[in-house]
Amino acid sequence: MGRDDNTALLLGVNEDQQVRIRDLSSDAVEDFLGQRRVGVRQWPRLVAWESRLLWQLSGASITVSVFNYMLTFATLSFSGHLGALEFAGASVAAAAVQGLAYGVMIGMASAVQTVCGQAYGAKKYAAMGIICQRAIVLQVAAAILLTFLFWFSGPILKVMGYSESIAEQGQIFARGMTPQVYAFAICCPMQRFLQAQNIVNPLAYMAVGVFLVHILISWLVIYVLNYGLVGAALTLSFSWWLLVLLTVLYVVLSPSCKETWTGLSIKAFKGIWPYFKLTAASAVMLCLEIWYVQGLLIIAGLLPNPTLSLDALSVILNYWNWDINFMLGFCAAASVRVSNELGAGHPRLARFSVIVVNGTSMLISIVFCAIVLIFRVGLSKLFTTDTEIIKAVSNLTPLLAFSVFLNGIQPVLSGVAIGSGWQAIVAYVNLTTYYIIGLPIGCVLGFKTSLGIAGIWWGMVIGVFLQTATLTILTIRTNWEHEVEKAVDRLKNSTNVEALDLVNSV
């Protein structure tokens, strides 16, 4: 399709425009956005074109995010049938130990989204496999260090204030999950490697398939073979390694990756320092968010009525986790779209992608807010029949609804930051808004007023609101032409390429 045909299509003069709009290229849309004032009639077509790309990415990415989370969710559900003590130990280990490790690995892997996404947009396909291998090398090194956390989790949980019996069960579960951290180290970068190429549907099929297998094996291990808590943990590790195997086989054998994966290379060990700096900033950025939520559980356990506080907060956080994992799909889509367009030298289209993905996620969050508020009592009853807990959860529901709304903005803006390579900046923003402002406010409101658990949640809401406001201002004030230039420099440092010929000059 030529430039004149593209222009005519966007102007709406072609009779078959509804069929052919999917054939528009990024180059054509970037050119159209830069050459003329876009009229009212053209905006719906542009939004439809971008939304189609967005949902192709986010739909499958949401499936991957949710079903990966459900592996742990299902394991904890099975563990609950072993006894209250085993369930408490598994829950604590999953939140404090596995959550930390997964946060580190996801955070480090977000650097793959940045550099591979920009390399794909710049059509530097051969460099992408090297970048992915470099990420795996760094993350396996991190996994070796995290192994000590898993193995000696019992004493660590005791220091955090948990009872000896819960810490002991938590250590049993954590040690069974030790192989899982190495699966994280391989799977997370490879998933981002595929997402950067817009290969998302196969990842979704793998996630659903492994989850179904995981349910079957967990049932056999716990109910038939009676292997207990360690069996449940080892099953979770096995399922993640199954996911690794399927992902590796797809990358190595699929024709879709023949240009981006050219085999193992010693180049993965060269120029590792510039990439390590971006990786470290990525890990810190995401870990600061995860630790903040985990810290709420620890603080809630110090309130005058810790059992009620922990039970109410656990119910709220369950719904919050479902929502955040859903929105992480949009985070991945935003990251891929922005990094691809920056790498391709499309600053205007990158900015337009940011607008569309934020608008879409906000509309979805409004629907989720309404569901939370309308079914505030019913949602509580899914977890408990205790009237006191139901009342406490209902009182927290308006705060949950506001948090759900912020989740429609904050993860997407984080995705934009990942796609643009702003991880270091966002790490400082998270440190300030969460730990210097939000956490102290929550502690004061929780312990010095009658608000209790609601006061602690208010501190979180204030922290997330300030972080969202800061990222919004940062995004609005972004010079996208300058971001394209930074993408070129980043690819030079990360791929050892001396020169990059972008599709369009800026």
Side-chain angles (χ1 to χ4, degrees), residues 49-386:
W49 179 84
E50 179 62 36
S51 296
R52 178 174 171 270
L53 294 177
L54 170 65
W55 279 106
Q56 284 178 340
L57 286 168
S58 61
S61 296
I62 289 168
T63 301
V64 172
S65 179
V66 169
F67 276 88
N68 285 350
Y69 167 71
M70 285 179 67
L71 290 176
T72 301
F73 184 84
T75 300
L76 292 178
S77 298
F78 279 106
S79 299
H81 294 280
L82 296 173
L85 184 60
E86 287 83 355
F87 178 66
S91 299
V92 167
V97 181
Q98 184 203 41
L100 171 62
Y102 191 61
V104 170
M105 293 303 173
I106 287 290
M108 294 180 71
S110 72
V112 178
Q113 287 179 286
T114 301
V115 185
C116 277
Q118 293 176 358
Y120 187 77
K123 295 182 170 59
K124 301 298 176 181
Y125 301 131
M128 296 178 65
I130 306 299
I131 296 166
C132 183
Q133 292 173 50
R134 187 174 297 156
I136 292 174
V137 169
L138 289 172
Q139 296 198 209
V140 168
I144 294 173
L145 297 176
L146 287 168
T147 299
F148 294 96
L149 172 67
F150 279 74
W151 200 253
F152 299 104
S153 56
I156 295 173
L157 292 174
K158 291 178 185 177
V159 171
M160 294 173 64
Y162 293 101
S163 66
E164 184 173 350
S165 57
I166 290 179
E168 181 181 346
Q169 295 299 317
Q171 179 171 274
I172 292 173
F173 191 78
R175 287 183 174 181
M177 290 192 297
T178 303
Q180 185 187 46
V181 71
Y182 293 93
F184 287 161
I186 300 172
C187 191
C188 292
M190 299 201 84
Q191 284 183 338
R192 271 71 193 162
F193 167 76
L194 291 172
Q195 287 175 334
Q197 305 170 63
N198 302 316
I199 300 174
V200 287
N201 287 336
L203 289 174
Y205 298 142
M206 293 177 205
V208 175
V210 169
F211 173 73
L212 296 177
V213 172
H214 177 71
I215 294 294
L216 175 60
I217 297 177
S218 296
W219 177 80
L220 288 172
V221 167
I222 293 176
Y223 286 103
V224 179
L225 300 176
N226 295 317
Y227 283 156
L229 200 58
V230 68
L234 288 172
T235 300
L236 182 57
S237 294
F238 171 81
S239 295
W240 269 97
W241 272 104
L242 180 60
L243 200 58
V244 169
L245 177 62
L246 293 174
T247 306
V248 169
L249 287 175
Y250 183 88
V251 170
V252 173
L253 301 177
S254 173
S256 302
C257 300
K258 64 180 180 180
E259 292 185 89
T260 56
W261 184 268
T262 56
L264 299 176
S265 173
I266 194 68
K267 292 181 180 179
F269 294 92
K270 297 179 180 179
I272 205 166
W273 177 247
Y275 184 80
F276 171 76
K277 291 191 291 185
L278 180 62
T279 297
S282 302
V284 172
M285 167 188 160
L286 195 59
C287 282
L288 287 174
E289 295 187 20
I290 293 175
W291 292 342
Y292 187 53
V293 177
Q294 292 175 343
L296 294 179
L297 285 171
I298 297 174
I299 295 171
L302 302 176
L303 289 170
N305 190 348
T307 302
L308 177 62
S309 300
L310 284 171
D311 287 343
L313 188 59
S314 295
V315 173
I316 289 293
L317 286 179
N318 264 289
Y319 289 112
W320 186 86
N321 280 327
W322 279 104
D323 178 63
I324 198 67
N325 275 279
F326 184 93
M327 286 303 171
L328 282 176
F330 283 96
C331 172
S335 172
V336 172
R337 288 293 299 129
V338 171
S339 62
N340 282 176
E341 300 307 337
L342 289 178
H346 296 156
R348 302 176 191 88
L349 187 48
R351 178 177 178 271
F352 181 65
S353 298
V354 171
I355 295 172
V356 173
V357 70
N358 274 284
T360 303
S361 63
M362 286 179 66
L363 289 175
I364 293 173
S365 289
I366 291 173
V367 175
F368 284 175
C369 285
I371 292 173
V372 168
L373 291 173
I374 292 172
F375 300 102
R376 56 194 300 175
V377 175
L379 293 176
S380 307
K381 290 183 178 179
L382 292 178
F383 285 86
T384 182
T385 56
D386 189 301

Side-chain angles (χ1 to χ4, degrees), residues 6-66:
N6 280 314
T7 303
L9 182 59
L10 282 167
L11 289 173
V13 299
N14 289 35
E15 293 181 357
D16 59 346
Q17 61 191 17
Q18 297 301 325
V19 177
R20 294 176 54 200
I21 196 168
R22 69 183 60 186
D23 298 326
L24 281 170
S25 66
S26 296
D27 294 339
V29 175
E30 174 70 16
D31 182 65
F32 185 82
L33 290 171
Q35 296 298 323
R36 62 174 69 244
R37 173 177 289 185
V38 180
V40 175
R41 292 179 58 194
Q42 284 77 57
W43 281 119
R45 296 184 179 90
L46 289 171
V47 172
W49 179 84
E50 179 62 36
S51 296
R52 178 174 171 270
L53 294 177
L54 170 65
W55 279 106
Q56 284 178 340
L57 286 168
S58 61
S61 296
I62 289 168
T63 301
V64 172
S65 179
V66 169

